[in-house]
Amino acid sequence: MKNVMGIINLVNEPDQLEQLTNHRNIASVPFAGRYRLIDFVLSSMVNSGITNVGIFTHTKYRSLMDHLGSGKEWDLDRKRSGLFILPPMKEGWISPMGDLHAIHAHRDYLHRSSEEYVLLSRSYMVCNIDFNGLQEFHNRNQADITVVYKEMSDLDSISMQIGMDENSRVRSIWEPNAVPHGNKVSMEMYFLKKSLLIDIIETSLAEGHYNLMKDAIRANISRLNIFGYAYQGYLGIINTINSYYKHSMNLLNPSVWKDLFFKPGLIYTKIKDEPSTRYINNGHTSNSLVANGCVIEGIVENSILFRGVRIRKGATVRNSIVMQNGVIHENSSIVSVIIDKDVIIKEARTLVGHEKAPYIVVKRKII
């Protein structure tokens, strides 16, 4: 992908992940045993040839900075271009003027970048996409803006829908809470010229508007040539607890795992050296995803264990997610539970949730 810079916009992302985002933003929520949500769109950009990526942060981004570091794992630790984490002008500030104001505050970054095109994205789209096809589609249709979408029938997240005519021209964009119209879900990925982005931002702000999608893109839907580009791969829009749990459990399907992590490119994340998982005292797992560094003495079924988890003798974990360094002590039973990092479940405890309402244990909790 030539002459394109990437922007991952974290400002005012819809967030219904409850306790999982008490101390972190959506972008850095752990996922799939060793990854963070932002890894998917960031890896897709890098695999598509984008070497200049700016991340517009909003709040609770310390964990994200620790995860991304210099961008080495994504080959973005470069002398020129590379990874830029752009904090808000004031930490914790929730702008009443929306994300347009936040992006405009970093307009110097846009002006200094030499690329002609911009790919804008959110952080919570779990997918593996080759953006080269998007650029070809955009140029072939002589579009002003191209929006990536996917046809989906089962929605459990906060997402927008678009309406298109027979020529793939976008005619409508509906708010997340609007009555469903068809099955074309916007992935909130926009491809356009950088000069156009700057122009619509400055024009919208001058007119007293503040929201990128609503005021700068949707308001210009009749004036600009906005086209829809269909994505065919696996997609998880993860901004609610139900969508997080559902798409985590979907990873236990080998075909989903292969589609998401290996096609068309690999998904990269921060590297941590850990020993292999050990099974002792007849510890057993089935249909589960287990990261390195775990010690399993009990039974694990249909679950995801992150790095360094300990399952003690007699403990059972079913249909659950246990994040990094969690410890489940002897004879405890865990069913349909999401356990955040560094949690300790003492002996003979029973925690039961439901697949439609999983029980959540907050970070560093001792039960």
Side-chain angles (χ1 to χ4, degrees):
M1 201 172 196
K2 297 180 180 178
N3 209 16
V4 180
M5 62 184 295
I7 291 178
I8 303 176
N9 179 20
L10 312 186
V11 181
N12 292 343
E13 290 192 309
D15 177 6
Q16 292 185 5
L17 285 170
E18 303 177 20
Q19 295 97 326
L20 296 184
T21 50
N22 278 352
H23 303 289
R24 58 170 80 93
N25 55 32
I26 287 185
S28 57
V29 168
F31 185 72
R34 67 179 68 222
Y35 298 85
R36 304 296 178 111
L37 292 182
I38 197 173
D39 290 341
F40 296 87
V41 66
L42 183 58
S43 297
S44 293
M45 286 183 174
V46 170
N47 290 334
S48 301
I50 296 175
T51 58
N52 179 12
V53 180
I55 300 175
F56 289 14
T57 61
H58 182 200
T59 184
K60 297 182 284 188
Y61 54 88
R62 185 201 57 78
S63 174
L64 180 68
M65 294 182 68
D66 176 65
H67 177 69
L68 296 176
S70 64
K72 179 180 178 181
E73 280 79 4
W74 296 268
D75 194 26
L76 290 174
D77 55 335
R78 297 165 176 255
K79 290 183 179 178
R80 296 181 180 177
S81 297
L83 180 68
F84 299 87
I85 301 175
L86 302 167
M89 289 303 175
K90 186 177 181 181
E91 164 63 14
W93 178 57
I94 301 176
S95 171
M97 293 181 284
D99 53 353
L100 274 183
H101 191 271
I103 296 173
H104 186 257
H106 293 296
R107 58 191 179 279
D108 285 350
Y109 166 65
L110 294 171
H111 286 299
R112 283 201 300 267
S113 298
S114 60
E115 290 83 359
E116 182 180 5
Y117 292 93
V118 178
L119 173 62
L120 275 163
S121 177
R122 290 298 200 176
S123 71
Y124 48 79
M125 298 292 169
V126 171
C127 60
N128 191 340
I129 178 172
D130 180 2
F131 290 115
N132 286 289
L134 169 63
Q135 187 175 24
E136 293 171 6
F137 177 89
H138 180 87
N139 293 335
R140 185 169 65 250
N141 287 283
Q142 298 182 327
D144 293 316
I145 301 174
T146 300
V147 183
V148 184
Y149 74 92
K150 181 172 176 61
E151 293 187 354
M152 302 176 71
S153 57
D154 184 17
L155 292 179
D156 51 11
S157 57
I158 305 170
S159 53
M160 293 184 294
Q161 290 182 290
I162 63 173
M164 297 165 45
D165 63 18
E166 63 279 9
N167 297 315
S168 299
R169 179 89 180 268
V170 176
R171 298 296 183 182
S172 304
I173 301 176
W174 289 285
E175 294 278 1
N177 295 325
V179 176
H181 296 75
N183 62 349
K184 294 180 175 60
V185 177
S186 170
M187 293 173 63
E188 299 184 65
M189 296 174 175
Y190 306 100
F191 186 83
L192 69 165
K193 282 190 174 181
K194 184 176 66 178
S195 57
L196 176 60
L197 175 65
I198 294 172
D199 179 64
I200 60 177
I201 288 175
E202 292 183 344
T203 300
S204 297
L205 288 174
E207 294 173 349
H209 302 307
Y210 54 85
N211 184 279
L212 175 64
M213 191 287 297
K214 179 180 178 182
D215 300 320
I217 296 178
R218 192 176 67 178
N220 289 299
I221 202 167
S222 60
R223 184 177 68 85
L224 299 174
N225 290 321
I226 303 177
F227 282 78
Y229 174 76
Y231 168 63
Q232 304 296 340
Y234 184 86
L235 172 65
I237 303 176
I238 298 180
N239 49 28
T240 66
I241 283 294
N242 283 342
S243 62
Y244 178 84
Y245 183 77
K246 171 188 169 182
H247 291 291
S248 294
M249 292 297 107
N250 284 350
L251 298 177
L252 301 180
N253 182 334
S255 64
V256 171
W257 176 266
K258 291 177 182 177
D259 283 347
L260 186 56
F261 286 91
F262 298 101
K263 300 176 182 178
L266 300 177
I267 302 299
Y268 305 103
T269 190
K270 181 179 179 180
I271 296 174
K272 290 184 179 179
D273 295 326
E274 295 273 2
S276 300
T277 288
R278 288 192 298 146
Y279 293 86
I280 55 180
N281 296 325
N282 297 318
H284 175 73
T285 63
S286 63
N287 193 38
S288 296
L289 184 61
V290 181
N292 291 350
C294 296
V295 178
I296 299 175
E297 302 174 74
I299 296 173
V300 179
E301 297 177 350
N302 305 318
S303 296
I304 297 174
L305 305 186
F306 284 63
R307 294 163 169 142
V309 169
R310 304 298 197 261
I311 308 297
R312 298 302 188 194
K313 187 176 182 179
T316 59
V317 177
R318 294 186 173 92
N319 308 323
S320 296
I321 300 163
V322 185
M323 296 187 190
Q324 190 170 330
N325 298 327
V327 180
I328 314 299
H329 277 285
E330 287 82 355
N331 301 316
S332 289
S333 176
I334 308 297
V335 181
S336 299
V337 177
I338 300 173
I339 297 177
D340 208 333
K341 295 172 63 174
D342 302 318
V343 166
I344 296 175
I345 306 297
K346 294 183 177 180
E347 291 184 25
R349 299 291 196 270
T350 299
L351 302 180
V352 179
H354 187 271
E355 61 179 9
K356 297 296 183 183
Y359 187 91
I360 303 171
V361 183
V362 300
K363 188 176 180 180
R364 298 194 181 95
K365 184 84 172 181
I366 299 175
I367 296 179

